[in-house]
Amino acid sequence: MKTINAILVLFIFTFALSCDVEYFENPNQPKTPPTSGLFRYAPDELMTDTRDVWFSGRFTLATMQYWHQSNYGDEDRYSYRESMIETWEDFYYNLENFRKIIKFNESEEYAGQMQAYGPNQGQIAVTRVMMAYTFNLMADTWGPIPYYSYGTDDPDFQALRMGDETEESQVLEPTYAPQEKIYTDILNELDAAAETLSGISEPIFPNADVIYGGNPTKWKKFANSLRLRIALKVRETAPQVGQDHIDDALSSGVFTSNADNAVFHWEANAKNGAPMYTSWNVDNRSDFAVATAFTQLLKGQTVNDHQGNPITNNPFQGMRDPRISKYMMLNAQGNYVGMPVAENSAQAATFRWECLPDSTIIHKPDYGAVLMAYPEVEFILSELNSWNQQHYEKGIEASMKRWGVGDGAINNYLNNVPTANEETVLTQKYIALYMQPHTSWTEYRRTGYPETLIMPNNDYSVYVPSEDTTFEYNFDPIPASIDQTNDLPYRMPYPQQESTLNKDNYQEASGWLPNGDALISRLWWDED
């Protein structure tokens, strides 16, 4: 996690980047790094930064109540550490590496050299997809942000203009772009990238692309599927923009099976393994357990208050989900028991009956982190077609198959699953988005589902079979602002240094948010 002063980061970063490309004094070094190396490095850094024990484990996995912390308590109650918020810096560092790929492929001096790693325009298109993915994640986290566009010359898009720019064109205090402009441009970037990729048959970064192995057809489907996800999100606020991109993405071609899934795999070793693997097996930490709310959902049960009355609504009441054995391990007593929201860190450390995430998640160095998968597309299609039953069942089936559930268990579940409607489809989507918690958080803010989460300021109980005891808890959030909504956070605050190092632009962007730079400021597309 980068926590040094941002001004220092700017100078170090600028110098480092120039060193990456200026080796004229050393005949043993190339003049510029190969774009294949940059593309191998940048997605790795991005996925490690966003699927680690901080931005994922203590932020979105905890916020969406897939996991809770077993040694700490504050983040589960929405008191986020500044070091988590400063992942902001990591995003821009990785985005600059992506921008370098575009720069070298457009350079008269280097473009011919870079063709060794795939067609120049194909490299640019794939990079645009990854930049769109990253900026969408950032905008969904903070709202207005400094933004960069490859295809649009908009004066509001001032990010990434500090590395190799001339002194006159450098921007060290970039303005924040309005959310509507950001999402509209992201959709256009994905559209343009998909169109470019449709005309390319040669492999792109074949020895560096660990997501698709250089397959341009797969990248095109990912661009369109991601566009479908984002267009659905903005459709309520920008109906025409959203619907136009939905129609065009579907026409151009989206995921049609799990073979299309966008999955990043780390290396099968301790040094370069997945961040959750590293936490459990290298750092020897065990800081997380599967949450009470998610465990009860998978068991087909509700969460109850101290009087035994349900405080959650489980549309799959009485149906044990066969993915439970793929998502989590039994506890030492052979039961599935969820981790409560601890009232403090001291209490969290006393629990001894919670269940760990499955070994394929925490003990597999080459774990595959999903950027987007086919089941999500089927749930989107169900929603777009008036909660269509066939797409709903295809989404469930695809999710279960992706996690290795057998055909018999899948068929038995589908034969008993409730009819498709808004609640059932979106709750199944939440289950399928396990280990994709940031997308799940966005979906919750967009739709209000699932209704299986424990809301702030609620009393609730956890029954532990091995002790034949029901323990009573209260979900007491830390930020006082949450008491105004009794809901999950709507966004993450900006890094504190933005209020001093980019003060005027920070203040302007904060003023665009309904409640300023606060957890309870809804984003542009969040109208529920």
Side-chain angles (χ1 to χ4, degrees):
M1 186 64 62
K2 304 171 183 68
T3 58
I4 61 176
N5 183 283
I7 288 292
L8 184 58
V9 169
L10 296 181
F11 285 104
I12 291 176
F13 183 52
T14 302
F15 177 76
L17 287 172
S18 65
C19 289
D20 282 343
V21 299
E22 303 289 351
Y23 289 120
F24 301 105
E25 301 299 323
N26 186 348
N28 297 316
Q29 294 283 5
K31 292 182 179 180
T32 184
T35 51
S36 62
L38 285 171
F39 194 80
R40 180 63 185 87
Y41 174 75
D44 189 315
E45 287 294 295
L46 172 67
M47 298 308 292
T48 299
D49 289 337
T50 56
R51 304 302 176 93
D52 65 353
V53 296
W54 296 99
F55 197 82
S56 184
R58 290 180 171 84
F59 177 27
T60 47
L61 277 168
T63 297
M64 287 309 299
Q65 298 181 20
Y66 290 117
W67 293 3
H68 286 312
Q69 296 184 84
S70 52
N71 288 308
Y72 303 99
D74 290 355
E75 288 82 13
D76 293 20
R77 298 160 61 208
Y78 314 143
S79 179
Y80 303 127
R81 302 181 210 195
E82 184 64 18
S83 57
M84 296 164 59
I85 299 171
E86 288 176 355
T87 302
W88 165 285
E89 294 176 10
D90 300 312
F91 282 120
Y92 284 111
Y93 180 87
N94 295 325
L95 284 162
E96 175 62 11
N97 281 323
F98 284 125
R99 190 190 71 86
K100 288 290 183 183
I101 296 173
I102 293 175
K103 177 199 170 193
F104 296 141
N105 274 286
E106 288 197 316
S107 164
E108 291 184 7
E109 183 177 2
Y110 300 124
Q113 177 184 338
M114 296 310 161
Q115 286 180 354
Y117 315 113
N120 296 125
Q121 290 304 310
Q123 292 185 48
I124 292 171
V126 167
T127 301
R128 292 171 84 176
V129 174
M130 288 304 301
M131 294 187 83
Y133 175 87
T134 306
F135 273 121
N136 175 66
L137 192 153
M138 291 185 70
D140 286 351
T141 303
W142 287 284
I145 55 172
Y147 178 74
Y148 161 88
S149 173
Y150 171 75
T152 306
D153 256 348
D154 188 306
D156 285 338
F157 299 164
Q158 297 183 1
L160 309 184
R161 290 175 57 180
M162 61 185 183
D164 52 9
E165 303 288 332
T166 63
E167 185 175 348
E168 293 77 17
S169 62
Q170 282 183 341
V171 178
L172 300 184
E173 297 180 8
T175 188
Y176 290 56
Q179 295 173 80
E180 182 175 4
K181 280 190 174 185
I182 292 172
Y183 288 111
T184 300
D185 191 74
I186 287 173
L187 290 167
N188 291 336
E189 285 290 290
L190 290 168
D191 183 11
E195 184 175 354
T196 298
L197 290 163
S198 67
I200 293 175
S201 57
E202 303 97 319
I204 305 165
F205 304 124
N207 299 317
D209 174 14
V210 300
I211 299 175
Y212 284 128
N215 188 321
T217 302
K218 298 287 189 183
W219 276 103
K220 176 188 172 183
K221 286 187 176 184
F222 177 37
N224 284 324
S225 300
L226 184 57
R227 183 157 56 120
L228 183 68
R229 172 198 283 177
I230 298 167
L232 177 66
K233 176 177 60 188
V234 307
R235 186 177 64 160
E236 187 171 345
T237 306
Q240 194 63 55
V241 170
Q243 193 60 52
D244 286 348
H245 279 283
I246 287 169
D247 295 340
D248 192 66
L250 292 173
S251 175
S252 181
V254 296
F255 293 162
T256 56
S257 76
N258 279 323
D260 296 328
N261 295 346
V263 182
F264 178 90
H265 287 273
W266 283 272
E267 296 180 20
N269 57 64
K271 182 178 179 180
N272 299 309
M276 294 303 175
Y277 169 87
T278 300
S279 179
W280 261 275
N281 299 277
V282 178
D283 299 337
N284 294 314
R285 300 190 65 90
S286 182
D287 287 346
F288 304 96
V290 181
T292 292
F294 192 53
T295 302
Q296 293 299 97
L297 169 59
L298 296 176
K299 288 167 66 176
Q301 300 174 6
T302 57
V303 180
N304 299 329
D305 64 17
H306 296 170
Q307 288 73 47
N309 303 308
I311 62 167
T312 62
N313 185 34
N314 188 344
F316 307 103
Q317 185 76 14
M319 296 184 63
R320 174 167 291 210
D321 194 306
R323 285 167 290 192
I324 193 169
S325 63
K326 308 296 182 179
Y327 286 177
M328 58 194 294
M329 292 187 270
L330 292 164
N331 65 12
Q333 294 77 36
N335 301 307
Y336 288 117
V337 183
M339 177 78 188
V341 181
E343 295 176 15
N344 51 62
S345 296
Q347 184 192 65
T350 66
F351 300 134
R352 291 291 179 268
W353 31 253
E354 67 271 15
C355 295
L356 294 178
D358 189 68
S359 61
T360 58
I361 297 170
I362 62 175
H363 297 315
K364 188 175 171 59
D366 57 341
Y367 171 77
V370 174
L371 288 80
M372 188 171 184
Y374 165 61
E376 181 182 350
V377 170
E378 286 294 348
F379 292 125
I380 291 173
L381 292 174
S382 178
E383 179 175 352
L384 291 174
N385 291 278
S386 303
W387 311 110
N388 176 272
Q389 183 75 20
Q390 185 177 14
H391 287 299
Y392 163 62
E393 292 186 9
K394 282 186 175 181
I396 297 171
E397 179 182 21
S399 173
M400 290 187 175
K401 284 188 173 181
R402 191 178 80 76
W403 284 92
V405 176
D407 289 343
I410 294 174
N411 292 333
N412 181 64
Y413 191 86
L414 291 176
N415 287 336
N416 294 282
V417 74
T419 303
N421 57 41
E422 183 178 22
E423 181 179 29
T424 56
V425 172
L426 294 176
T427 304
Q428 280 293 337
K429 191 176 187 180
Y430 167 75
I431 297 171
L433 287 172
Y434 181 56
M435 300 310 297
Q436 301 175 66
H438 197 282
T439 302
S440 182
W441 180 43
T442 299
E443 280 296 288
Y444 173 80
R445 291 174 289 165
R446 180 180 76 87
T447 68
Y449 287 99
E451 295 182 342
T452 59
L453 305 179
I454 302 169
M455 291 293 103
N457 294 307
N458 267 308
D459 295 330
Y460 67 100
S461 302
V462 177
Y463 175 68
V464 181
S466 60
E467 301 185 27
D468 194 23
T469 301
T470 298
F471 295 90
E472 297 182 342
Y473 303 99
N474 177 265
F475 183 6
D476 182 21
I478 293 174
S481 60
I482 293 295
D483 293 334
Q484 301 176 40
T485 62
N486 287 324
D487 203 351
L488 277 59
Y490 300 143
R491 60 181 293 276
M492 179 179 270
Y494 293 119
Q496 291 178 5
Q497 62 193 18
E498 282 292 294
S499 65
T500 56
L501 300 176
N502 196 8
K503 181 178 180 180
D504 291 343
N505 293 316
Y506 160 81
Q507 289 181 341
E508 181 182 29
S510 298
W512 296 339
L513 296 163
N515 294 293
D517 183 18
L519 293 172
I520 60 171
S521 279
R522 290 188 182 275
L523 301 187
W524 169 70
W525 47 263
D526 180 6
E527 294 197 342
D528 287 339

